[in-house]
Amino acid sequence: MKIFLKTPEEIKKLQAANQIVARVLDACEAAVRPGVSTWDLNEIADRELQRAGATSAFLGYHGYPAVLCTSVNEVVVHGIPRKDLILQEGDIIGIDFGCFKEGYCGDAARTLPVGRVSAEAQALMDATRESLERAIAHCVLGNRLQDIGWAVQSYVEERGYSVVRSFVGHGIGQAMHEDPQVPNYGTPGRGLRLREGLVLAIEPMVNQGLSEVEVLADRWTAVTRDRSLSAHFEHSVAITAEGPYVLSRPHG
Ligand code: MF3
Ligand code: CO
């Protein structure tokens, strides 16, 4: 395991990349409504990416064919944008985007309602978003890595949801995926001691039903095995002496 701790200068570059990610996600979010295809969202993301002079972290990654992941309803992560997948009122959609700017990577995701959604779907998204905020609050010196996963797991399981175990968050820097892995479950007080300059992409994936996931024949689309709804939120977070610094939080 090779962990790269980042200098303040590197954290500035990671923030620049992540602020592009935030703008791309904002542009996609503004376009989400019934009748739009997931491919339309990919085109919006691609246009914003070019405008920012950045390059995709996803396109070509292990052969991934788009710049955006679009994960609708029972899709947990890694849904591939399609012209024939038209968003319907009541769907929920996860949008996940990553890019490189000046050699540093940004990565973030959010799940959104399409028009009016059921109270159950909204509650799942709210709990997943809040679990990420609780995880971020645990990104302080003196804590350990599994405190982060515990914060997610304890919050969502208390509400009857389950945490996906087969995908995890990750360190991020000059590569999209660096050590350490950041599971969304854990035992408090265990794991790597959090250090100044550690930058983590924390990304809870939370299912309404059981935690098991399967990958479809396209080799990317990960769905809940019981086809229950799933939500996903991700932020890239720097651990500093002043506390957690959420690099991908939109600044406006
Ligand atoms: N945000 C995801 C991750 O951290 C998405 C990457 S999948 C890709 O792993 F293939 F599209 F790159
Ligand atoms: Co990620």
Side-chain angles (χ1 to χ4, degrees):
M1 181 149 81
K2 177 79 184 105
I3 288 170
F4 300 99
L5 298 176
K6 278 78 182 181
T7 64
E9 292 69 33
E10 288 182 292
I11 290 174
K12 278 209 186 76
K13 290 186 178 173
L14 285 164
Q15 185 189 22
N18 274 292
Q19 285 301 303
I20 294 168
V21 171
R23 285 205 296 279
V24 168
L25 291 176
D26 282 349
C28 292
E29 176 168 349
V32 166
R33 60 190 141 72
V36 163
S37 76
T38 55
W39 182 257
D40 293 333
L41 299 178
N42 187 75
E43 299 231 289
I44 289 164
D46 200 22
R47 193 188 66 213
E48 293 299 319
L49 176 74
Q50 315 278 343
R51 177 178 301 178
T55 58
S56 176
F58 293 4
L59 182 67
Y61 181 84
H62 292 279
Y64 187 75
V67 301
L68 187 71
C69 296
T70 51
S71 302
V72 177
N73 296 336
E74 73 279 7
V75 179
V76 178
V77 285
H78 303 166
I80 300 171
R82 296 160 51 144
K83 289 183 180 160
D84 63 351
L85 205 172
I86 310 295
L87 297 178
Q88 314 277 326
E89 179 110 25
D91 286 344
I92 63 172
I93 178 173
I95 53 176
D96 187 350
F97 183 82
C99 73
F100 284 93
K101 179 72 175 179
E102 290 176 18
Y104 287 82
C105 190
D107 186 12
R110 39 181 105 146
T111 301
L112 306 163
V114 181
R116 284 181 59 87
V117 301
S118 69
E120 291 74 19
Q122 189 63 51
L124 174 68
M125 291 188 287
D126 290 348
T128 309
R129 188 197 302 100
E130 178 60 20
S131 75
L132 174 55
E133 293 301 328
R134 300 212 170 200
I136 291 166
H138 282 77
C139 290
V140 292
L141 301 181
N143 275 356
R144 289 178 179 266
L145 195 65
Q146 291 192 35
D147 293 324
I148 295 171
W150 169 248
V152 172
Q153 179 183 20
S154 58
Y155 185 81
V156 305
E157 287 184 353
E158 212 165 280
R159 284 155 182 79
Y161 302 125
S162 66
V163 157
V164 170
R165 290 167 177 264
S166 51
F167 296 100
V168 296
H170 48 94
I172 186 165
Q174 292 183 264
M176 177 164 61
H177 293 144
E178 292 183 354
D179 290 331
Q181 294 197 132
V182 185
N184 295 299
Y185 55 89
T187 305
R190 297 272 189 91
L192 188 85
R193 211 178 269 287
L194 300 184
R195 302 268 305 273
E196 203 173 336
L198 189 61
V199 181
L200 302 175
I202 304 173
E203 47 181 319
M205 288 147 268
V206 176
N207 297 349
Q208 199 172 33
L210 302 178
S211 65
E212 283 74 19
V213 162
E214 68 186 29
V215 176
L216 300 183
D218 64 14
R219 315 253 331 257
W220 281 104
T221 310
V223 299
T224 55
R225 208 169 66 187
D226 62 8
R227 302 300 190 267
S228 66
L229 291 178
S230 186
H232 175 218
F233 286 81
E234 178 176 20
H235 271 308
S236 294
V237 181
I239 291 159
T240 77
E242 290 78 46
Y245 186 20
V246 185
L247 304 176
S248 50
R249 186 100 69 200
H251 279 346

